[in-house]
Amino acid sequence: MRRSRIPAFAPARPTAPTGAGGGLRSTRSLAAAWGVVVLITVPAWVLTVGQARDMGVEPGTMGMALPLFLLLWVIMMAAMMLPSMAPVALSWVRGIGRRSSGWVRTARTAEFVAGYLLVWTAFGLLVYAALALTGDLVDDHPTAGRWIGAVAFLLAGLYQLGPLKNVCLRHCRDPLSHLVRYAGFRGPARDLRVGLHHGVYCVGCCAGLMVVFVPLGVMNVAAMAGLALVVFVEKLWSRGVLLSGVVGVAFLVLAVLAPFQDWMLPGLEGSMPPMDDM
């Protein structure tokens, strides 16, 4: 009898979704891998919080040039997104380890991470443009901030409840079938392509949440922490889809209230003092 070939990343038997802690990783390897995630995430948070405390919360880009903004943006995304995308990354890296070793494995892993961060860097360009535009509008017409905030919350809420969010969230919550598909990628830039592909889905999953940085302020640490928690729970909790809908409804409520509650729009008000003075 002819045996069918099993892709390198396919499990030997059905397992739970990787986002739910399925059988792709042993307890020991899972603990070690999450230790690495912590070692990367904690310094990223320290750098992000330290920079935010120095800058405070102001409208627009806060005078940052594009290169500096993109550098801070990538550090922020590493701090906010790495814990939630770790199940996919760890599964793929483990697969790399079965076929490579030493520097080859390190290079392939770096290539995967670079592809993922490259997508978020590209999205950062859009965020910078949006912040620059809204910052100029608020400078010229201070009262416009209320309506900009309302539109931002409205767009975020509609996106959270829309079909594109559901498609991308479904990928991020149960990436096993996609990992099997990735195993068919060929060529020297294979791991870069995998990182890019998953990064696109991750951006699609979180784009609505990122919109609220416009009214809340891009260097608002409380907003960063809250959104990072939402992203983490959406992807890894068994009822994450329900949370996504609840957050979407909450954003719609905030859209109605924003024009009448200036305190809800710290990122669209005039210059504010640094966080140490607030």
Side-chain angles (χ1 to χ4, degrees), residues 137-152:
L137 288 174
V138 171
D139 288 341
D140 295 338
H141 308 282
T143 57
R146 300 175 181 178
W147 304 105
I148 294 173
V151 171

Side-chain angles (χ1 to χ4, degrees), residues 5 23 40 45 55 58-59 74 85 103 110 119 122-123 140 156 162 164 183 189 203 208 211 217 233 237 267:
R5 297 183 62 186
I40 297 174
W45 271 110
M55 298 180 66
E58 297 181 10
V74 170
M85 64 87 68
W103 287 107
V119 176
F123 186 73
D140 295 338
L164 182 57
V203 168
V211 171
V233 175
W237 186 37

Side-chain angles (χ1 to χ4, degrees), residues 238-262:
S238 61
R239 298 184 180 180
V241 176
L242 175 61
L243 174 65
S244 177
V246 171
V247 172
V249 172
F251 285 159
L252 295 180
V253 173
L254 293 177
V256 175
L257 298 177
F260 313 103
Q261 303 291 333
D262 290 344

Side-chain angles (χ1 to χ4, degrees), residues 34-58:
W34 274 104
V36 174
V37 171
V38 171
L39 288 176
I40 297 174
T41 304
V42 170
W45 271 110
V46 171
L47 289 172
T48 300
V49 172
Q51 189 64 38
R53 289 173 67 86
D54 291 337
M55 298 180 66
V57 180
E58 297 181 10

Side-chain angles (χ1 to χ4, degrees), residues 7 17 32 60 72 100 128 145 161 177 181 187 195 212 221-222 225 233 235 265 268-269 271:
L72 295 178
S100 309
Y128 185 86
L161 299 171
S177 61
R181 175 188 175 189
V212 300
V221 175
V233 175
K235 293 182 180 180
L265 309 171
L268 291 171
E269 294 181 350
S271 298

